[in-house]
Structures are given as structure tokens and as C-alpha cells.
Amino acid sequence: MRKLVYTGFMSLDGVVDSPGGGPGEGHRSGGWVVKDLEFVPESWSLKGEELTDTTALMFGRRSYEAFAPVWPGSQDHADYKELPKYVVSSTLSDDALVDDWGPTTVLRSTEDVAALKEGEGGAIFIHGSAELARRLSDAGLIDQYNLLVFPVLLGAGKSLFGRADRDKRMLSLRESESYSNGIVKLVYDVGR
């Protein structure tokens, strides 16, 4: 069985929306990951550590459409270029997929994601894609959260976790570290 890992940047109040800012991001605090915070290289070490475990990437449609025009030519994301990619969308057509960014498969449902997890292979990492992550979490499909929590309160924006009344799900802390700029690394395994 393959492991499904959500990795992302999150504000202390749970917002994952518009961390990098940029065109098309309507969040008024867009770019909160890089604004008003001292750059401490070791606080970003999680992103490099993840490369060892990443065997495929997964995106929701909106995140795919945001990353696909940029990441294939980005030196910062060069290690991801040839990895298999999965886009979970009921509306994205196959002809909308970007060329020259490794093999990409469109999955049409949560059930398709569950079937993919049942197959052979290594860890699949979800980048961005808050709405997808909420759906997959609610379906019990996410196995691990790799979070960098930033010392900022945004109040508005997309949250990683849904607010529906549901059964409690326990997490087990695998790793944590705090940095001088206030960022906290949290790696949790999801209990079953």
C-alpha cells in the first residue's frame, strides 16, 4: 500500500491559502510565507528531506493549473520534473495537461485515489490543494501531514481541515522542530 502525505505551509490559525502570493491569488495577505519573516535556511530543511521519500506528486485541479506553468522550468522544483503526477479532478481534460513535466494521470474521484493507494509504489505527496486534502482527509486517505507552521494569524483563507462534526482521528507526532524565526516543523502520522 502506498502512503499519501500532505505537505504544506500553514498559518497558526490553520490557513494554507496563498502562501507564496502572486498573480491570481485574491487573499489580501498573499505571500505570507516570505513576507515579514527572517530567512532561516534550516527552517526550510523539511522540503529537502521530503525529496528522498517522494515517488509521485498529487494535486487538485486548481493547484495543478497554478503549478504546471511554473514548476517544469523551475530550478527549485527540478527534482520533481520527471516524477509521476496525479491530478484529482472531475473537470480537467487530458488535453489540458502540460507537456514536458513527466507522466501525468487524471484521477476522477476519491475512489480512484483509494485504488491508487492500494497499488505498489512509494509515497505520494500532495502539494497545495487544500480542498483536495480536506476531501481525502474526510475519506480517511491521508496517512501523514508534513507541516511548516508559520507565526502568523490570517483570519481568512482556505483551511487544511474541515469543520464538519466527525469522528475524532488521533495523530501521532513523528517529528518536530522549532526555529529562531518562529516557524515550527510538525510531522504527524494519522492513526487508523
Side-chain angles (χ1 to χ4, degrees):
M1 178 181 249
R2 300 181 81 169
K3 184 191 310 186
L4 192 56
V5 179
Y6 178 83
T7 180
F9 308 121
M10 186 168 74
S11 68
L12 186 59
D13 57 348
V15 174
V16 293
D17 192 23
S18 302
E25 292 194 354
H27 194 282
R28 72 178 174 155
S29 296
W32 52 268
V33 162
V34 293
K35 291 180 182 174
D36 306 318
L37 193 65
E38 175 190 1
F39 178 72
V40 176
E42 58 269 20
S43 64
W44 299 94
S45 64
L46 176 64
K47 302 320 281 173
E49 295 162 7
E50 289 174 341
L51 287 174
T52 304
D53 296 330
T54 303
T55 63
L57 301 174
M58 183 175 286
F59 305 98
R61 180 188 53 82
R62 284 188 205 109
S63 290
Y64 177 79
E65 288 174 340
F67 297 152
V70 179
W71 281 21
S74 166
Q75 286 303 326
D76 290 340
H77 301 94
D79 291 325
Y80 292 143
K81 187 168 183 173
E82 297 306 320
L83 291 176
K85 289 152 196 81
Y86 299 95
V87 183
V88 183
S89 173
S90 61
T91 59
L92 187 70
S93 63
D94 287 336
D95 63 343
L97 299 176
V98 171
D99 292 330
D100 195 33
W101 198 28
T104 304
T105 304
V106 179
L107 304 175
R108 298 294 179 193
S109 67
T110 301
E111 292 77 18
D112 290 345
V113 175
L116 176 66
K117 278 191 61 173
E118 292 296 323
E120 296 294 320
I124 303 166
F125 279 68
I126 302 169
H127 290 261
S129 310
E131 292 175 31
L132 173 63
R134 278 194 307 274
R135 280 198 339 252
L136 297 179
S137 177
D138 288 346
L141 294 174
I142 294 185
D143 302 295
Q144 182 176 315
Y145 291 97
N146 290 5
L147 302 173
L148 290 178
V149 180
F150 285 71
V152 61
L153 300 173
L154 299 172
K158 293 177 186 172
S159 174
L160 176 58
F161 303 106
R163 301 292 180 229
D165 186 8
R166 65 176 208 188
D167 291 340
K168 175 176 65 175
R169 186 168 292 141
M170 296 301 294
L171 305 177
S172 174
L173 183 63
R174 173 187 292 216
E175 185 179 347
S176 68
E177 192 163 349
S178 61
Y179 304 99
S180 62
N181 60 0
I183 293 174
V184 178
K185 173 174 75 172
L186 300 170
V187 178
Y188 285 106
D189 292 322
V190 178
R192 299 282 180 225

